[in-house]
Coordinates of all heavy atoms in Angstrom, one line a residue:
M55 N -29.6 -216.6 7.3 CA -29.1 -216.8 5.9 C -29.5 -218.3 5.5 O -30.2 -218.9 6.1 CB -27.6 -216.6 5.8 CG -27.1 -215.3 6.2 SD -27.3 -213.9 5.1 CE -28.8 -214.3 4.2
G56 N -28.9 -218.7 4.4 CA -29.1 -220.1 4.0 C -29.6 -220.3 2.6 O -29.0 -221.2 2.0
T57 N -30.6 -219.6 2.1 CA -31.1 -220.0 0.8 C -30.2 -219.4 -0.3 O -29.4 -218.5 -0.1 CB -32.5 -219.4 0.6 OG1 -32.4 -218.0 0.5 CG2 -33.4 -219.8 1.8
A58 N -30.4 -220.0 -1.5 CA -29.6 -219.5 -2.7 C -29.9 -218.0 -2.9 O -29.0 -217.2 -3.2 CB -29.9 -220.3 -3.9
D59 N -31.2 -217.6 -2.7 CA -31.5 -216.2 -2.9 C -30.8 -215.3 -1.9 O -30.3 -214.3 -2.3 CB -33.0 -216.0 -2.7 CG -33.9 -216.4 -3.9 OD1 -33.3 -216.8 -4.9 OD2 -35.1 -216.4 -3.7
D60 N -30.7 -215.8 -0.7 CA -29.9 -215.0 0.3 C -28.5 -214.8 -0.1 O -27.9 -213.7 0.0 CB -29.9 -215.7 1.7 CG -31.3 -215.6 2.4 OD1 -32.1 -214.7 1.9 OD2 -31.5 -216.2 3.4
E61 N -27.9 -215.9 -0.7 CA -26.5 -215.8 -1.1 C -26.3 -214.8 -2.2 O -25.4 -214.0 -2.2 CB -26.0 -217.1 -1.5 CG -25.6 -218.0 -0.4 CD -25.0 -219.3 -0.8 OE1 -24.2 -219.3 -1.8 OE2 -25.3 -220.3 -0.3
V62 N -27.2 -214.8 -3.2 CA -27.2 -213.9 -4.3 C -27.3 -212.5 -3.8 O -26.6 -211.6 -4.2 CB -28.3 -214.2 -5.3 CG1 -28.4 -213.1 -6.4 CG2 -28.0 -215.5 -6.0
L63 N -28.3 -212.3 -2.9 CA -28.5 -210.9 -2.4 C -27.4 -210.4 -1.6 O -27.1 -209.2 -1.6 CB -29.9 -210.9 -1.7 CG -31.1 -211.0 -2.6 CD1 -32.3 -211.4 -1.9 CD2 -31.3 -209.7 -3.4
M64 N -26.8 -211.3 -0.8 CA -25.6 -210.8 0.0 C -24.5 -210.4 -0.9 O -23.8 -209.5 -0.6 CB -25.2 -211.9 1.0 CG -26.1 -212.1 2.2 SD -26.4 -210.6 3.1 CE -24.8 -210.5 3.9
G65 N -24.4 -211.2 -2.0 CA -23.3 -210.8 -3.0 C -23.6 -209.5 -3.6 O -22.7 -208.7 -3.8
L66 N -24.9 -209.2 -4.0 CA -25.2 -207.9 -4.5 C -24.9 -206.8 -3.5 O -24.4 -205.8 -3.9 CB -26.7 -207.9 -4.9 CG -27.1 -208.6 -6.2 CD1 -28.6 -208.7 -6.3 CD2 -26.5 -207.9 -7.4
R67 N -25.3 -207.1 -2.3 CA -25.1 -206.0 -1.3 C -23.6 -205.7 -1.2 O -23.2 -204.5 -1.1 CB -25.6 -206.6 0.1 CG -25.1 -205.8 1.3 CD -25.5 -204.4 1.4 NE -24.8 -203.5 0.5 CZ -24.9 -202.2 0.5 NH1 -25.7 -201.6 1.4 NH2 -24.3 -201.4 -0.3
K68 N -22.8 -206.7 -1.2 CA -21.3 -206.4 -1.1 C -20.8 -205.7 -2.3 O -19.9 -204.8 -2.2 CB -20.6 -207.7 -0.9 CG -20.8 -208.3 0.5 CD -19.9 -209.5 0.8 CE -20.3 -210.1 2.2 NZ -20.5 -211.5 2.1
A69 N -21.3 -206.0 -3.5 CA -20.8 -205.5 -4.7 C -21.4 -204.1 -5.0 O -20.8 -203.3 -5.8 CB -21.2 -206.4 -5.9
W70 N -22.5 -203.8 -4.4 CA -23.2 -202.5 -4.8 C -22.5 -201.3 -4.1 O -22.3 -201.3 -2.9 CB -24.7 -202.6 -4.3 CG -25.5 -201.6 -5.0 CD1 -26.0 -200.4 -4.5 CD2 -26.0 -201.7 -6.3 NE1 -26.7 -199.7 -5.4 CE2 -26.8 -200.5 -6.5 CE3 -25.9 -202.6 -7.3 CZ2 -27.4 -200.2 -7.7 CZ3 -26.6 -202.4 -8.5 CH2 -27.3 -201.2 -8.7
P71 N -22.1 -200.4 -4.9 CA -21.2 -199.3 -4.3 C -22.0 -198.2 -3.5 O -21.4 -197.5 -2.8 CB -20.5 -198.7 -5.5 CG -21.5 -198.9 -6.6 CD -22.2 -200.2 -6.3
T72 N -23.2 -198.1 -3.8 CA -24.0 -197.0 -3.2 C -25.2 -197.5 -2.4 O -25.2 -198.7 -2.0 CB -24.4 -195.9 -4.2 OG1 -25.2 -196.6 -5.2 CG2 -23.2 -195.3 -4.9
A73 N -26.1 -196.6 -2.2 CA -27.3 -197.0 -1.3 C -28.0 -198.3 -1.9 O -28.3 -198.3 -3.1 CB -28.3 -195.9 -1.2
F74 N -28.2 -199.2 -1.1 CA -28.8 -200.5 -1.5 C -30.2 -200.6 -0.9 O -30.4 -200.7 0.3 CB -27.9 -201.7 -0.9 CG -28.3 -203.0 -1.4 CD1 -28.1 -203.4 -2.7 CD2 -28.8 -204.0 -0.5 CE1 -28.4 -204.7 -3.2 CE2 -29.2 -205.2 -1.0 CZ -29.0 -205.6 -2.3
I75 N -31.2 -200.5 -1.8 CA -32.6 -200.5 -1.4 C -33.1 -201.9 -1.7 O -33.0 -202.4 -2.8 CB -33.4 -199.5 -2.2 CG1 -32.8 -198.1 -2.0 CG2 -34.9 -199.5 -1.7 CD1 -33.4 -197.0 -2.9
F76 N -33.7 -202.5 -0.7 CA -34.0 -203.9 -0.8 C -35.5 -204.1 -0.5 O -36.1 -203.6 0.4 CB -33.2 -204.7 0.2 CG -33.4 -206.2 0.1 CD1 -32.8 -206.9 -0.9 CD2 -34.2 -206.9 1.1 CE1 -33.0 -208.3 -1.0 CE2 -34.4 -208.2 0.9 CZ -33.8 -208.9 -0.1
N77 N -36.2 -204.9 -1.4 CA -37.6 -205.3 -1.2 C -37.6 -206.8 -0.8 O -37.2 -207.7 -1.6 CB -38.4 -205.1 -2.4 CG -39.8 -205.6 -2.2 OD1 -40.1 -206.8 -2.3 ND2 -40.7 -204.8 -1.7
P78 N -37.9 -207.1 0.5 CA -37.8 -208.5 1.0 C -38.7 -209.4 0.1 O -38.3 -210.6 0.0 CB -38.4 -208.4 2.4 CG -38.3 -207.0 2.8 CD -38.4 -206.2 1.5
G79 N -39.8 -209.0 -0.5 CA -40.7 -209.9 -1.2 C -40.2 -210.3 -2.5 O -40.5 -211.3 -3.1
G80 N -39.3 -209.4 -3.1 CA -38.8 -209.7 -4.5 C -40.0 -209.6 -5.4 O -40.8 -208.8 -5.4
Q81 N -40.0 -210.6 -6.3 CA -41.2 -210.7 -7.2 C -42.4 -211.0 -6.4 O -42.4 -211.6 -5.4 CB -41.0 -211.8 -8.2 CG -39.9 -211.5 -9.3 CD -40.0 -212.3 -10.5 OE1 -40.5 -213.5 -10.4 NE2 -39.5 -211.8 -11.6
I82 N -43.5 -210.5 -6.9 CA -44.7 -210.5 -6.1 C -45.2 -212.0 -5.9 O -45.3 -212.8 -6.8 CB -45.8 -209.7 -6.8 CG1 -46.9 -209.4 -5.8 CG2 -46.4 -210.3 -8.0 CD1 -47.8 -208.2 -6.1
G83 N -45.3 -212.3 -4.6 CA -45.7 -213.7 -4.2 C -46.9 -213.7 -3.4 O -47.6 -212.6 -3.3
P84 N -47.3 -214.8 -2.8 CA -48.5 -214.8 -2.0 C -48.5 -214.0 -0.7 O -49.6 -213.7 -0.2 CB -48.7 -216.3 -1.7 CG -47.3 -216.9 -1.8 CD -46.6 -216.1 -2.8
H85 N -47.3 -213.7 -0.2 CA -47.3 -213.0 1.1 C -46.6 -211.7 0.9 O -45.6 -211.5 0.3 CB -46.5 -213.9 2.1 CG -47.0 -215.3 2.3 ND1 -48.3 -215.5 2.8 CD2 -46.6 -216.5 1.9 CE1 -48.5 -216.8 2.8 NE2 -47.5 -217.4 2.3
E86 N -47.2 -210.7 1.6 CA -46.6 -209.4 1.6 C -45.3 -209.3 2.4 O -45.2 -210.1 3.4 CB -47.5 -208.4 2.3 CG -48.9 -208.2 1.6 CD -49.8 -207.2 2.3 OE1 -49.4 -206.6 3.2 OE2 -51.0 -207.2 1.9
S87 N -44.4 -208.5 2.0 CA -43.2 -208.3 2.7 C -43.5 -207.9 4.1 O -44.4 -207.0 4.3 CB -42.3 -207.3 2.1 OG -41.9 -207.7 0.8
T88 N -42.8 -208.4 5.1 CA -43.1 -208.0 6.5 C -42.0 -207.1 7.1 O -40.9 -207.0 6.6 CB -43.2 -209.3 7.4 OG1 -41.9 -209.9 7.4 CG2 -44.2 -210.3 6.8
R89 N -42.4 -206.6 8.2 CA -41.5 -205.7 9.0 C -40.3 -206.6 9.4 O -39.1 -206.1 9.4 CB -42.2 -205.2 10.2 CG -41.3 -204.5 11.2 CD -42.1 -204.1 12.4 NE -41.3 -203.5 13.4 CZ -41.7 -202.8 14.5 NH1 -43.0 -202.7 14.6 NH2 -40.9 -202.3 15.3
E90 N -40.5 -207.8 9.9 CA -39.4 -208.7 10.3 C -38.4 -209.0 9.2 O -37.2 -209.0 9.4 CB -40.0 -210.0 10.9 CG -40.8 -209.9 12.2 CD -42.1 -209.2 12.0 OE1 -42.7 -209.2 10.9 OE2 -42.6 -208.6 13.0
Q91 N -39.0 -209.2 8.0 CA -38.1 -209.4 6.9 C -37.2 -208.2 6.6 O -36.0 -208.3 6.3 CB -38.9 -209.8 5.6 CG -39.5 -211.1 5.6 CD -40.4 -211.3 4.4 OE1 -41.2 -210.5 4.1 NE2 -40.2 -212.4 3.7
G92 N -37.9 -207.0 6.7 CA -37.1 -205.8 6.4 C -36.0 -205.6 7.5 O -34.9 -205.2 7.1
E93 N -36.4 -205.9 8.7 CA -35.4 -205.7 9.8 C -34.2 -206.7 9.6 O -33.0 -206.3 9.9 CB -36.0 -205.9 11.1 CG -36.9 -204.7 11.5 CD -37.7 -204.8 12.8 OE1 -37.8 -205.9 13.3 OE2 -38.2 -203.8 13.2
R94 N -34.5 -207.8 9.1 CA -33.5 -208.8 8.9 C -32.5 -208.3 7.8 O -31.3 -208.4 7.9 CB -34.1 -210.1 8.4 CG -33.1 -211.2 8.1 CD -33.8 -212.6 8.1 NE -33.0 -213.5 7.4 CZ -33.1 -213.8 6.1 NH1 -34.1 -213.2 5.3 NH2 -32.3 -214.7 5.5
W95 N -33.1 -207.7 6.8 CA -32.2 -207.2 5.7 C -31.5 -205.9 6.1 O -30.4 -205.6 5.6 CB -33.0 -207.1 4.4 CG -32.9 -208.5 3.8 CD1 -33.9 -209.4 3.9 CD2 -31.8 -209.0 3.1 NE1 -33.4 -210.6 3.3 CE2 -32.2 -210.4 2.8 CE3 -30.6 -208.6 2.7 CZ2 -31.3 -211.2 2.1 CZ3 -29.7 -209.4 2.0 CH2 -30.1 -210.8 1.8
L96 N -32.1 -205.1 6.9 CA -31.3 -204.0 7.5 C -30.1 -204.5 8.2 O -29.0 -204.0 8.1 CB -32.2 -203.1 8.4 CG -33.2 -202.3 7.7 CD1 -34.1 -201.6 8.7 CD2 -32.6 -201.2 6.8
A97 N -30.3 -205.6 9.0 CA -29.2 -206.2 9.7 C -28.2 -206.8 8.8 O -27.0 -206.9 9.1 CB -29.7 -207.2 10.7
N98 N -28.6 -207.2 7.6 CA -27.7 -207.8 6.6 C -27.0 -206.8 5.7 O -26.3 -207.1 4.8 CB -28.5 -208.8 5.7 CG -28.7 -210.1 6.4 OD1 -28.1 -210.4 7.4 ND2 -29.7 -210.8 5.8
G99 N -27.3 -205.5 6.0 CA -26.5 -204.4 5.3 C -27.3 -203.6 4.3 O -26.8 -202.7 3.6
A100 N -28.6 -203.8 4.2 CA -29.4 -203.0 3.3 C -29.5 -201.6 3.9 O -29.4 -201.4 5.2 CB -30.9 -203.5 3.2
D101 N -29.5 -200.5 3.1 CA -29.6 -199.2 3.6 C -31.1 -198.7 3.7 O -31.4 -198.0 4.6 CB -28.9 -198.2 2.6 CG -27.5 -198.5 2.5 OD1 -26.8 -198.4 3.5 OD2 -27.0 -198.8 1.4
L102 N -31.9 -199.2 2.8 CA -33.4 -198.9 2.9 C -34.2 -200.1 2.5 O -33.7 -200.9 1.7 CB -33.7 -197.8 1.9 CG -33.1 -196.4 2.1 CD1 -33.2 -195.5 0.9 CD2 -33.8 -195.7 3.3
I103 N -35.4 -200.2 3.0 CA -36.3 -201.3 2.7 C -37.5 -200.7 1.9 O -38.0 -199.7 2.4 CB -36.8 -202.0 4.0 CG1 -35.6 -202.5 4.8 CG2 -37.7 -203.1 3.6 CD1 -34.7 -203.6 4.1
S104 N -37.8 -201.3 0.8 CA -39.0 -200.9 0.1 C -40.2 -201.9 0.4 O -39.9 -203.0 0.6 CB -38.8 -200.8 -1.4 OG -38.8 -202.1 -2.0
Y105 N -41.4 -201.3 0.5 CA -42.6 -202.1 0.7 C -43.6 -201.7 -0.4 O -43.7 -200.6 -0.7 CB -43.2 -201.9 2.1 CG -42.4 -202.4 3.2 CD1 -41.5 -201.6 3.9 CD2 -42.5 -203.7 3.6 CE1 -40.7 -202.1 4.9 CE2 -41.7 -204.3 4.6 CZ -40.8 -203.4 5.3 OH -40.1 -204.0 6.3
G106 N -44.2 -202.7 -1.0 CA -45.2 -202.5 -2.0 C -46.6 -202.6 -1.4 O -47.2 -201.6 -1.1
R107 N -47.1 -203.8 -1.2 CA -48.5 -204.0 -0.8 C -48.7 -203.4 0.6 O -49.8 -202.8 0.8 CB -48.8 -205.5 -0.8 CG -49.0 -206.0 -2.2 CD -49.0 -207.5 -2.3 NE -47.6 -208.0 -2.1 CZ -47.3 -209.3 -2.1 NH1 -48.3 -210.2 -2.3 NH2 -46.1 -209.7 -2.0
A108 N -47.8 -203.5 1.5 CA -48.0 -203.0 2.8 C -48.2 -201.5 2.8 O -49.0 -200.9 3.6 CB -46.8 -203.3 3.8
Y109 N -47.5 -200.8 1.9 CA -47.6 -199.3 1.8 C -48.9 -198.9 1.1 O -49.5 -197.9 1.4 CB -46.4 -198.7 1.0 CG -45.6 -197.8 1.9 CD1 -44.3 -197.9 2.0 CD2 -46.3 -196.7 2.6 CE1 -43.6 -197.0 2.8 CE2 -45.6 -195.9 3.4 CZ -44.2 -196.0 3.5 OH -43.5 -195.2 4.3
L110 N -49.4 -199.8 0.2 CA -50.6 -199.5 -0.5 C -51.7 -199.3 0.6 O -52.5 -198.4 0.5 CB -51.1 -200.6 -1.4 CG -50.6 -200.6 -2.9 CD1 -51.3 -201.7 -3.6 CD2 -51.0 -199.2 -3.5
A111 N -51.8 -200.3 1.5 CA -53.0 -200.4 2.4 C -52.7 -199.6 3.7 O -53.6 -199.4 4.5 CB -53.3 -201.8 2.7
N112 N -51.5 -199.2 3.9 CA -51.1 -198.5 5.2 C -50.3 -197.3 4.8 O -49.0 -197.4 4.9 CB -50.3 -199.5 6.1 CG -51.1 -200.8 6.4 OD1 -51.9 -200.8 7.3 ND2 -50.8 -201.8 5.6
P113 N -50.9 -196.2 4.5 CA -50.2 -195.0 4.1 C -49.3 -194.5 5.2 O -48.3 -193.7 4.9 CB -51.3 -194.0 3.7 CG -52.5 -194.5 4.4 CD -52.4 -196.0 4.5
D114 N -49.6 -194.8 6.4 CA -48.8 -194.4 7.6 C -47.9 -195.6 8.0 O -47.7 -195.8 9.2 CB -49.7 -193.9 8.7 CG -50.7 -195.0 9.1 OD1 -51.0 -195.9 8.3 OD2 -51.3 -194.9 10.2
L115 N -47.4 -196.3 7.1 CA -46.7 -197.6 7.4 C -45.5 -197.4 8.4 O -45.4 -198.2 9.4 CB -46.1 -198.2 6.1 CG -45.5 -199.6 6.3 CD1 -46.5 -200.6 6.8 CD2 -44.8 -200.0 5.0
V116 N -44.8 -196.4 8.2 CA -43.6 -196.1 9.1 C -44.1 -195.9 10.6 O -43.6 -196.4 11.5 CB -42.8 -195.0 8.6 CG1 -41.7 -194.6 9.7 CG2 -42.1 -195.3 7.3
E117 N -45.2 -195.1 10.7 CA -45.7 -194.8 12.0 C -46.3 -196.1 12.6 O -46.1 -196.4 13.8 CB -46.9 -193.8 11.8 CG -47.5 -193.3 13.1 CD -46.6 -192.3 13.8 OE1 -45.5 -192.0 13.3 OE2 -47.1 -191.8 14.8
R118 N -46.9 -196.9 11.8 CA -47.4 -198.2 12.3 C -46.3 -199.1 12.8 O -46.4 -199.8 13.8 CB -48.3 -198.9 11.3 CG -49.6 -198.2 11.0 CD -50.5 -199.0 10.2 NE -51.6 -198.2 9.6 CZ -52.8 -198.6 9.5 NH1 -53.2 -199.9 9.9 NH2 -53.8 -197.9 8.9
F119 N -45.2 -199.1 12.0 CA -44.1 -199.9 12.5 C -43.5 -199.3 13.8 O -43.3 -200.1 14.8 CB -42.9 -199.9 11.5 CG -43.2 -200.8 10.3 CD1 -42.3 -200.7 9.2 CD2 -44.2 -201.8 10.3 CE1 -42.5 -201.6 8.1 CE2 -44.3 -202.6 9.2 CZ -43.5 -202.5 8.1
R120 N -43.4 -198.0 13.8 CA -42.8 -197.4 15.0 C -43.6 -197.6 16.3 O -43.1 -197.9 17.3 CB -42.7 -195.9 14.7 CG -41.9 -195.1 15.8 CD -41.8 -193.6 15.4 NE -40.9 -193.4 14.3 CZ -41.1 -192.6 13.3 NH1 -42.2 -191.9 13.2 NH2 -40.3 -192.5 12.3
L121 N -45.0 -197.6 16.1 CA -45.8 -197.7 17.3 C -46.3 -199.2 17.5 O -47.2 -199.4 18.3 CB -47.0 -196.8 17.2 CG -46.6 -195.3 17.2 CD1 -47.9 -194.4 17.0 CD2 -45.9 -194.9 18.4
D122 N -45.9 -200.1 16.6 CA -46.3 -201.5 16.7 C -47.8 -201.6 16.5 O -48.5 -202.4 17.3 CB -45.8 -202.1 18.0 CG -45.5 -203.5 17.9 OD1 -45.3 -204.0 16.7 OD2 -45.3 -204.2 18.9
L123 N -48.4 -200.9 15.6 CA -49.8 -200.9 15.3 C -50.1 -202.0 14.3 O -49.3 -202.3 13.5 CB -50.3 -199.6 14.8 CG -50.1 -198.4 15.7 CD1 -50.4 -197.1 15.0 CD2 -51.0 -198.5 16.9
P124 N -51.3 -202.5 14.3 CA -51.7 -203.6 13.3 C -51.7 -203.0 11.9 O -52.0 -201.8 11.7 CB -53.1 -204.0 13.7 CG -53.6 -202.9 14.6 CD -52.4 -202.2 15.2
L125 N -51.4 -203.9 10.9 CA -51.5 -203.5 9.5 C -52.7 -204.0 8.8 O -53.3 -205.1 9.2 CB -50.3 -204.1 8.7 CG -48.9 -203.7 9.2 CD1 -47.8 -204.3 8.3 CD2 -48.7 -202.2 9.4
V126 N -53.2 -203.3 7.8 CA -54.3 -203.7 7.0 C -53.7 -204.4 5.7 O -52.7 -204.0 5.2 CB -55.1 -202.5 6.6 CG1 -56.2 -202.9 5.6 CG2 -55.7 -201.8 7.8
S127 N -54.4 -205.4 5.2 CA -53.9 -206.1 4.0 C -54.6 -205.4 2.8 O -55.8 -205.0 2.9 CB -54.3 -207.5 4.0 OG -53.6 -208.2 5.0
T128 N -53.9 -205.3 1.7 CA -54.4 -204.7 0.5 C -55.4 -205.6 -0.1 O -55.2 -206.9 -0.1 CB -53.3 -204.3 -0.5 OG1 -53.9 -203.7 -1.6 CG2 -52.5 -205.4 -0.9
D129 N -56.4 -205.1 -0.8 CA -57.4 -205.9 -1.5 C -57.0 -206.0 -2.9 O -57.1 -205.0 -3.7 CB -58.8 -205.2 -1.3 CG -59.9 -205.9 -2.1 OD1 -59.6 -207.0 -2.7 OD2 -61.0 -205.4 -2.1
R130 N -56.6 -207.1 -3.4 CA -56.1 -207.2 -4.8 C -57.2 -207.0 -5.8 O -56.8 -206.9 -7.0 CB -55.2 -208.5 -5.0 CG -55.9 -209.8 -4.7 CD -55.0 -211.0 -5.1 NE -53.8 -211.0 -4.2 CZ -52.6 -211.4 -4.7 NH1 -52.4 -211.8 -5.9 NH2 -51.6 -211.4 -3.8
E131 N -58.4 -207.1 -5.4 CA -59.5 -206.9 -6.4 C -59.4 -205.4 -6.9 O -60.0 -205.1 -7.9 CB -60.9 -207.1 -5.7 CG -61.1 -208.5 -5.3 CD -61.1 -209.5 -6.4 OE1 -61.7 -209.2 -7.4 OE2 -60.5 -210.6 -6.3
T132 N -58.8 -204.6 -6.2 CA -58.8 -203.1 -6.6 C -57.5 -202.8 -7.4 O -57.4 -201.7 -7.9 CB -58.8 -202.2 -5.3 OG1 -57.6 -202.5 -4.6 CG2 -60.0 -202.5 -4.4
W133 N -56.6 -203.7 -7.6 CA -55.4 -203.4 -8.3 C -55.7 -203.2 -9.8 O -56.5 -203.8 -10.4 CB -54.4 -204.5 -8.2 CG -53.9 -204.8 -6.8 CD1 -54.2 -204.1 -5.7 CD2 -53.0 -205.9 -6.4 NE1 -53.6 -204.6 -4.6 CE2 -52.9 -205.7 -5.0 CE3 -52.4 -206.9 -7.0 CZ2 -52.1 -206.6 -4.3 CZ3 -51.7 -207.8 -6.3 CH2 -51.5 -207.6 -4.9
F134 N -54.9 -202.3 -10.4 CA -54.9 -202.0 -11.8 C -56.3 -201.6 -12.4 O -56.6 -202.0 -13.5 CB -54.4 -203.3 -12.6 CG -53.1 -203.8 -12.1 CD1 -53.1 -205.1 -11.5 CD2 -51.9 -203.0 -12.1 CE1 -51.9 -205.6 -10.9 CE2 -50.7 -203.5 -11.6 CZ -50.7 -204.8 -11.0
Q135 N -57.0 -200.8 -11.6 CA -58.3 -200.4 -12.1 C -58.5 -198.9 -12.0 O -58.4 -198.2 -13.0 CB -59.4 -201.2 -11.4 CG -59.3 -202.7 -11.7 CD -60.4 -203.5 -11.0 OE1 -61.6 -203.2 -11.2 NE2 -60.1 -204.5 -10.3
T136 N -58.9 -198.5 -10.8 CA -59.1 -197.0 -10.6 C -58.3 -196.6 -9.4 O -57.6 -197.4 -8.8 CB -60.6 -196.8 -10.2 OG1 -60.9 -197.4 -8.9 CG2 -61.5 -197.5 -11.3
P137 N -58.3 -195.3 -9.1 CA -57.6 -194.8 -7.9 C -58.0 -195.5 -6.6 O -57.3 -195.6 -5.7 CB -57.9 -193.3 -7.9 CG -58.1 -193.0 -9.3 CD -58.9 -194.2 -9.9
H138 N -59.3 -196.0 -6.6 CA -59.7 -196.7 -5.4 C -58.8 -197.9 -5.1 O -58.5 -198.7 -5.9 CB -61.2 -197.2 -5.6 CG -61.7 -198.1 -4.5 ND1 -61.7 -197.8 -3.2 CD2 -62.1 -199.4 -4.6 CE1 -62.2 -198.8 -2.5 NE2 -62.4 -199.8 -3.3
G139 N -58.3 -197.9 -3.8 CA -57.4 -199.0 -3.5 C -56.0 -198.6 -3.5 O -55.1 -199.3 -3.1
Y140 N -55.7 -197.4 -4.1 CA -54.4 -196.8 -4.2 C -54.3 -195.6 -3.3 O -53.2 -195.3 -2.8 CB -54.0 -196.5 -5.6 CG -53.7 -197.6 -6.5 CD1 -54.7 -198.1 -7.4 CD2 -52.5 -198.3 -6.5 CE1 -54.5 -199.2 -8.2 CE2 -52.3 -199.4 -7.4 CZ -53.3 -199.8 -8.2 OH -53.1 -200.9 -9.0
V141 N -55.3 -194.8 -3.2 CA -55.2 -193.5 -2.6 C -56.2 -193.3 -1.4 O -56.2 -192.3 -0.8 CB -55.5 -192.4 -3.6 CG1 -54.5 -192.4 -4.7 CG2 -56.9 -192.4 -4.2
D142 N -57.0 -194.4 -1.1 CA -58.0 -194.1 -0.1 C -58.0 -195.0 1.1 O -59.0 -195.1 1.9 CB -59.4 -194.1 -0.8 CG -59.6 -195.4 -1.6 OD1 -58.7 -196.3 -1.7 OD2 -60.7 -195.4 -2.3
Y143 N -56.9 -195.8 1.3 CA -56.8 -196.5 2.6 C -56.5 -195.4 3.7 O -55.6 -194.5 3.5 CB -55.7 -197.5 2.6 CG -56.0 -198.8 1.9 CD1 -55.6 -199.0 0.6 CD2 -56.8 -199.8 2.5 CE1 -55.9 -200.2 -0.1 CE2 -57.1 -201.0 1.9 CZ -56.7 -201.2 0.6 OH -57.0 -202.3 -0.1
P144 N -57.2 -195.5 4.8 CA -57.0 -194.5 5.9 C -55.7 -194.8 6.7 O -55.3 -195.9 6.8 CB -58.2 -194.5 6.7 CG -58.7 -196.0 6.6 CD -58.3 -196.4 5.2
S145 N -55.2 -193.7 7.3 CA -54.2 -193.9 8.4 C -54.9 -194.6 9.6 O -56.1 -194.6 9.7 CB -53.6 -192.6 8.8 OG -52.9 -192.0 7.7
Y146 N -54.0 -195.1 10.5 CA -54.6 -195.7 11.7 C -55.4 -194.7 12.5 O -54.9 -193.6 12.7 CB -53.4 -196.3 12.5 CG -53.9 -197.1 13.7 CD1 -54.2 -198.4 13.5 CD2 -54.0 -196.5 15.0 CE1 -54.7 -199.2 14.6 CE2 -54.4 -197.3 16.0 CZ -54.8 -198.6 15.8 OH -55.2 -199.4 16.9
Q147 N -56.6 -195.1 12.9 CA -57.4 -194.3 13.7 C -57.2 -194.5 15.2 O -57.6 -195.5 15.7 CB -58.9 -194.5 13.4 CG -59.3 -194.4 11.9 CD -59.0 -193.0 11.4 OE1 -59.6 -192.0 11.9 NE2 -58.1 -192.8 10.4
H148 N -56.5 -193.6 15.8 CA -56.2 -193.7 17.2 C -57.4 -193.4 18.1 O -58.2 -192.7 17.8 CB -55.0 -192.7 17.6 CG -53.7 -193.1 17.0 ND1 -52.8 -194.0 17.5 CD2 -53.2 -192.7 15.8 CE1 -51.8 -194.1 16.7 NE2 -52.0 -193.4 15.7
Ligands
LIG340 C1 -50.5 -203.0 -7.5 C2 -49.1 -203.4 -7.7 C3 -48.5 -203.0 -8.9 C4 -47.1 -203.4 -9.1 N1 -46.5 -202.9 -10.2 C5 -45.2 -203.2 -10.5 C6 -44.6 -202.7 -11.7 O1 -45.1 -202.0 -12.5 N2 -43.3 -203.1 -11.9 C7 -42.6 -203.9 -11.0 O2 -41.4 -204.2 -11.2 N3 -43.2 -204.4 -9.9 C8 -44.5 -204.1 -9.6 N4 -45.1 -204.6 -8.5 C9 -44.4 -205.5 -7.6 C10 -43.8 -204.7 -6.4 O3 -42.8 -203.8 -6.9 C11 -43.1 -205.7 -5.4 O4 -42.0 -206.3 -6.1 C12 -44.0 -206.7 -4.9 O5 -45.2 -206.1 -4.6 C13 -43.4 -207.4 -3.7 O6 -43.2 -206.5 -2.6 P1 -44.3 -206.5 -1.3 O7 -44.2 -207.9 -0.7 O8 -43.7 -205.4 -0.5 O9 -45.6 -206.1 -1.9 C14 -46.4 -204.2 -8.2 C15 -47.1 -204.6 -7.0 C16 -48.4 -204.3 -6.8 C17 -49.1 -204.7 -5.5

């Protein structure tokens, strides 16, 4: 804990009466939300963690987390244009 954002979010967690879905990245910043951030917020009382960029590039994100597989980064050059970059990243090739 420690930052002002953490305090606000802990307050929201306590005040929120139902399922609390948390995105560790918040507003889009330079770094994608990570598994470690998600786990930290699960420990802080979140019910579900949402991922944006990590899910775009890793359609099997949960499986990758479960098996500790490497993640692919999304290519921001493909955002807001065509389906390319949204629907065609492959699952991990075992
Ligand atoms: C391609 C793309 C489109 C997005 N569109 C929206 C949007 O329409 N509205 C919104 O509130 N956030 C939007 N976001 C931001 C995400 O909801 C999320 O807050 C942000 O990506 C941080 O989470 P992440 O680190 O898991 O990616 C978008 C993000 C990406 C990468």
Side-chain angles (χ1 to χ4, degrees):
M55 300 285 30
T57 70
D59 281 354
D60 282 350
E61 279 184 43
V62 170
L63 288 163
M64 285 304 287
L66 281 171
R67 162 63 287 185
K68 287 185 186 131
W70 199 257
T72 57
F74 189 69
I75 305 173
F76 185 75
N77 176 274
Q81 288 197 334
I82 197 160
H85 304 294
E86 299 179 7
S87 299
T88 65
R89 174 183 175 169
E90 290 71 25
Q91 288 174 310
E93 286 174 347
R94 179 166 161 263
W95 276 96
L96 286 172
N98 282 344
D101 296 301
L102 293 166
I103 303 298
S104 78
Y105 289 95
R107 287 166 286 182
Y109 241 127
L110 269 186
N112 302 276
D114 54 343
L115 184 65
V116 172
E117 186 76 355
R118 290 191 195 219
F119 282 171
R120 189 175 290 136
L121 298 179
D122 214 13
L123 297 170
L125 301 187
V126 174
S127 293
T128 179
D129 176 4
R130 59 176 63 215
E131 297 296 317
T132 63
W133 295 355
F134 309 116
Q135 296 184 53
T136 68
H138 171 57
Y140 289 98
V141 300
D142 50 4
Y143 282 99
S145 295
Y146 187 82
Q147 302 300 301
H148 292 271

